[in-house]
Amino acid sequence: MGVLAGAEPFSHPGSSGAGFLLCHGFTGTPDGLRAWGAHLAAEGFAVRCPLLPGHGTRWQDLNRTTWQDWYGVVREELLALRAECDQVFVGGLSMGGTLTLRLAEEFGADLTGIVLVNPSVMRTGLDTKLLPVLAHVVPSVPAIANDIAKPGVTELAYPRTPVRAAASLAKLWKLVRADLAKVTQPVLLLHSRVDHVVEPENSEIVLAGVSSTDVTEVVLENSFHVATQDSDADVIFSRSVEFARALRAGQVGAG
């Protein structure tokens, strides 16, 4: 099966010398970040948003991939963007935020700043602890997709949650949580006050764990989990640009 219409990766050339890598969420697609990417491109940023392995086709395909596959792709895209730009920012939604944090942990000062939207680093409840066992018994469980408050908006994502892939994501969460202190870059973290997919403890853990001294927290009052397609999308877009421009001006001035 080919890639679903609308799920394709996207990229935009930049004019400012700065670039943004965007990372989509678990069972989602670049479609959820397309408007964000277009806004960044209109402001002069080079933008890349890959389609992660196992996504954008059938949920069964996702069960054949692991977090190492997803991370490998965003890592390659980051290296390509760094070759084109003098400053690079990374932004991600949900699991895209998890991948963003892992890139920050690995690349350190090579990233100018990161933008996290409802990032996930854990999930409470017995179901998460049982994932390794369930993965051998149950191929999928009900979907986590489409948690959007705004009427008439639908997320392009899988109708089921692949359990084996979810078990791999849980392993990535553990690694990312253990290394949060390695995150030293400026952080812009935007999280929804009401989120039916990622519990509020996730943002609390990230904020408490990173070593960054420049941290901005923004609470999104009118959106659920998929905030990049919800009523606060413009807040995410504008704050991302302000965040990146301020850091860019500061680093250029310091130079």
Side-chain angles (χ1 to χ4, degrees), residues 31-213:
D31 186 63
L33 308 181
R34 205 170 295 278
W36 189 7
H39 184 93
L40 291 168
E43 297 293 336
F45 294 93
V47 181
R48 286 174 176 255
C49 183
L51 175 63
L52 301 179
H55 291 76
T57 53
R58 306 178 311 142
W59 65 259
Q60 292 90 339
D61 294 334
L62 187 49
N63 262 341
R64 301 186 183 100
T65 65
T66 65
W67 75 262
Q68 289 95 336
D69 298 316
W70 317 324
Y71 185 71
V73 166
V74 296
R75 192 180 187 279
E76 285 181 14
E77 291 290 324
L78 175 62
L79 292 173
L81 199 56
R82 284 180 61 213
E84 300 171 5
C85 303
D86 57 16
Q87 288 181 326
V88 175
F89 300 86
V90 183
L93 166 69
S94 194
M95 182 187 77
T98 321
L99 295 169
T100 297
L101 286 165
R102 194 60 180 165
L103 288 170
E105 291 168 355
E106 179 182 353
F107 285 91
D110 287 341
L111 299 186
T112 304
I114 61 173
V115 181
L116 307 170
V117 182
N118 292 325
S120 66
V121 293
M122 54 81 74
R123 187 176 176 88
T124 58
L126 187 62
D127 57 341
T128 303
K129 295 177 182 177
L130 291 176
L131 276 174
V133 177
L134 286 174
H136 297 289
V137 182
V138 182
S140 70
V141 293
I144 57 171
N146 214 39
D147 188 32
I148 300 173
K150 189 175 182 179
V153 180
T154 302
E155 181 187 15
L156 180 59
Y158 286 147
R160 302 286 294 177
T161 300
V163 175
R164 191 173 301 159
S168 186
L169 172 57
K171 293 178 181 178
L172 175 61
W173 285 340
K174 186 175 181 179
L175 289 170
V176 168
R177 287 199 313 271
D179 285 344
L180 278 175
K182 294 181 181 178
V183 177
T184 58
Q185 305 88 344
V187 176
L188 172 62
L189 191 154
L190 308 102
H191 61 96
S192 302
R193 188 171 297 283
V194 179
D195 186 328
H196 303 98
V197 178
V198 171
E199 300 96 335
E201 290 93 335
N202 283 268
S203 289
E204 293 169 9
I205 289 169
V206 171
L207 291 170
V210 298
S211 298
S212 310
T213 55

